Each structure stands twice: as C-alpha cells, then as structure tokens.
Amino acid sequence: MRVKPGFKLRTVVGEQIIVPEGKENIDFSQIISMNESSAYLWNAVGEEEFTPEDLAKLLLEEYDVDEETALTDAKSIAAKWVEVGIAE
C-alpha cells in the first residue's frame, strides 16, 4: 500500500487537512481532517510502500500504546485512507 500521489498534508487554521494537488485530483471534493496520530503516520510513510503492520510499528515507537491496540488502529487508518481515496 502507498499514499496516492498528489495529496499533501497541510495545516489550515490549526487543523491538519489532506488537500489534493495536481490535475489528476481535480475532482476530489472531500476534506479529510487528520488527528495527531494519523498526521504523524502520513508524514512518516511519505511516498514509501507500507503495510498496516508498518503503521503499527510507527505507533508503538511514537505513542504509549500496546501492540494489539496499535495494530487495530493501524488497520483502521489504512482501510480508511483507501476508502476515501488517498492511499492505494
């Protein structure tokens, strides 16, 4: 899995928002707000391939969370990113 090209994380009025950039994303009409942990993951994976397990590892490194919770949350975040069209 990887983040789709043309989507950038920006801070708008103090909120972390995913914004489309480029002609390939011109019809993207959703506003996607990221909380602190999802913004951290987005920045951490950059344009590299990743799995939910990779995301869970990042969560374990950054936050005081157990492995089961980290993996459950990572799978949920990855699925949501795919669902809204910002990762594939």
Side-chain angles (χ1 to χ4, degrees):
M1 160 178 314
R2 81 174 36 231
V3 169
K4 287 175 91 173
F7 290 98
K8 302 293 179 193
L9 182 65
R10 301 278 187 245
T11 301
V12 179
V13 192
E15 190 170 347
Q16 302 270 359
I17 304 287
I18 295 293
V19 294
E21 296 179 341
K23 292 179 183 178
E24 67 275 5
N25 298 316
I26 197 95
D27 291 331
F28 189 80
S29 60
Q30 295 180 328
I31 295 177
I32 299 170
S33 177
M34 297 269 198
N35 64 18
E36 178 186 330
S37 57
S38 60
Y40 162 72
L41 292 173
W42 183 270
N43 285 325
V45 298
E47 296 179 8
E48 301 297 318
E49 293 265 340
F50 64 90
T51 65
E53 291 76 14
D54 296 327
L55 297 180
K57 183 178 177 188
L58 290 166
L59 289 173
L60 289 167
E61 291 171 0
E62 186 70 14
Y63 298 99
D64 183 22
V65 62
D66 63 85
E67 289 183 42
E68 183 179 342
T69 301
L71 185 56
T72 299
D73 290 352
K75 287 178 179 178
S76 176
I77 288 169
K80 190 61 154 175
W81 289 357
V82 170
E83 178 186 325
V84 298
I86 60 173
E88 52 192 5

